Amino acid sequence: MSSKEKKYILLILLHVVIGLIVFFFPPISKPLAALVFLVGLFLIVKNQNKNHEVLLVSGYIVGSEIFFRMTGGIIIYEFAKYSITIFMLLGMYYSGFSKNAIPYWIFLVLLIPGILVATETLNLTTDLRKTISFNISGPICLGISSIYTYNKRISLDKLNQVLLSIGLPIISTSVYVILYTPDLKEALVLGTGSNYNTSGGFGPNQVATIFGLGMFIFFSRLMLESKTKLLLIVNLIIAFIVTYRGLITFSRGGMITGFMMIVILLFYLYISTKGRGKIKLNYIFGFMILMFFATWSYTSSKTDGLIEKRYANQDAMGRVKESQFTGREEIFNNEINSFIDNPIFGVGVAKGAEIRLDMTNEVSLSHNEISRMIAEHGLFGITALLILLFTPIILFLDNKQHIFLMCFIVFWLLTINHAAMRLSAAAFVYSLSLLKVHLHEETPLHRK
């Protein structure tokens, strides 16, 4: 076993142990979350971001966000987004940022009118600071992160390390969820709705989102970073566990997103590979299909076929459900109507939820960041979304070595359609699509 393999196995075992300790001794979650932030801050300042510490630490925060939320480890709900924003600003101080990142400065400016409108339109009983920050922290985190990463040079190997930093805490999350629900019969999996019991007692939509991302990370490591049989077996086991635990949350959005990322990566690798490389990829494709079939079959047997009905939009009796999006289309229609009534400046940040509360007497937060931006920011929101969509695509024309670029864009786009920007993952992973990837390691520039 090489030293690299030993280090990898030790990192995995460490995060298995973290999951075990937090489950059996929950109070340690809070100091652990604080320790992650402080250690990350120390590493960035000590090394002055010479080895992309900002990305590595931010990635770790992204991967651990759900873990700390479900275990009560965070003092403030948006701990991850605030931490990443602070780290990115430090990164700009030490390593600078591209003067061509103007689109993302414009993006941040476009958010201001919606905030100003909100100060006038939100109810007098509403806590303006908390309400606005809850809704705007995601876009701000995305904007700051994107300014830092815009055209910043990074090697493919280092980028894989960043993805691993996201994936390691997901292993801890998997261990915690397994211990929380060791037996599906105890979880009372009787229907096809999203299940809190199989999601560590936390929101299935968010848990499935991070498991879907973890599925992609460890399947990509199967393809790109498993150079020995030992690594192949280890990554295979982790990929299987993460995929299985994600599927039995019965929340579809995150898992479908992860699957789409894998398909896009395979397709890009196939069209970019020539000669004998394609023959090897054919074997990999066959292996991946076999893996998915085996995982799906195992999940189906464990859920008595309910998982198949869930993805077919059926209830436990096999009847097709009236709503394909669990009622979220009503929120979407409400937000489009709000835009029609207020097309220029929108109704203001967070006002959409108040409008729905007045209409239905129920609190219904938006799950779709696109319709929320359109409703609450108006034409400014539409312009901001267009900047986010087209800028990385244009950069891709001169960034063909960034094999993950389209995967990251798809993750962001699909995630904000079913989970808005509840998680920092959407903002951070999007910003990774703006990196300038090359095949060989380089020492990044930093300020003296």
Side-chain angles (χ1 to χ4, degrees), residues 167-376:
L168 287 172
I170 297 176
I171 294 174
S172 301
T173 308
S174 301
V175 171
Y176 181 88
V177 171
I178 290 170
L179 293 172
Y180 189 94
T181 316
D183 188 351
L184 286 186
K185 292 181 180 178
E186 294 180 8
L188 298 176
V189 181
L190 303 175
T192 59
S194 297
N195 196 313
Y196 280 77
N197 292 325
T198 58
S199 305
F202 196 71
N205 189 25
Q206 294 185 33
V207 175
T209 296
I210 210 68
F211 276 149
L213 180 57
M215 177 179 73
F216 167 76
I217 290 170
F218 287 104
F219 268 105
S220 72
R221 293 192 70 80
L222 264 176
M223 291 182 281
L224 305 172
E225 296 291 319
S226 298
K227 295 179 174 61
T228 66
K229 289 183 179 179
L230 176 62
L231 292 178
L232 181 69
I233 293 171
V234 170
N235 287 324
L236 185 61
I237 292 172
I238 297 173
F240 171 79
I241 292 173
V242 171
T243 303
Y244 171 66
R245 299 311 306 192
L247 286 172
I248 62 173
T249 63
F250 281 80
S251 185
R252 295 168 293 185
M255 300 309 293
I256 292 173
T257 298
F259 178 77
M260 290 299 298
M261 292 173 75
I262 292 170
V263 171
I264 290 169
L265 178 60
L266 288 171
F267 176 75
Y268 183 79
L269 289 175
Y270 192 79
I271 63 173
S272 303
T273 305
K274 298 179 180 179
R276 294 181 179 179
K278 282 196 174 182
I279 298 175
K280 184 179 179 180
L281 278 175
N282 288 331
Y283 287 112
I284 294 176
F285 291 164
F287 178 73
M288 300 297 279
I289 292 171
L290 184 63
M291 263 299 301
F292 276 116
F293 178 76
T295 307
W296 181 264
S297 298
Y298 180 79
T299 308
S300 180
S301 66
K302 285 293 183 179
T303 60
D304 294 326
L306 289 176
I307 192 67
E308 294 172 355
K309 293 177 181 178
R310 171 59 171 168
Y311 279 79
N313 197 45
Q314 298 173 351
D315 61 18
M317 301 296 292
R319 296 169 298 197
V320 177
K321 297 179 181 179
E322 292 182 9
S323 173
Q324 191 172 359
F325 303 103
T326 59
R328 294 174 189 172
E329 61 269 33
E330 295 177 6
I331 299 176
F332 179 87
N333 291 333
N334 174 267
E335 289 176 324
I336 295 303
N337 289 332
S338 294
F339 166 72
I340 293 173
D341 294 336
N342 304 270
I344 307 299
F345 296 101
V347 297
V349 174
K351 184 61 181 177
E354 288 189 352
I355 292 173
R356 290 189 293 276
L357 179 62
D358 293 338
M359 293 176 60
T360 64
N361 290 322
E362 293 182 1
V363 178
S364 52
L365 298 177
S366 178
H367 287 262
N368 190 311
E369 188 70 10
I370 294 176
S371 60
R372 188 199 69 79
M373 285 280 289
I374 292 172
E376 298 181 1

Side-chain angles (χ1 to χ4, degrees), residues 118-129:
T119 60
E120 297 294 328
T121 60
L122 289 174
N123 296 337
L124 294 176
T125 56
T126 299
D127 186 327
L128 289 179
R129 184 187 66 80

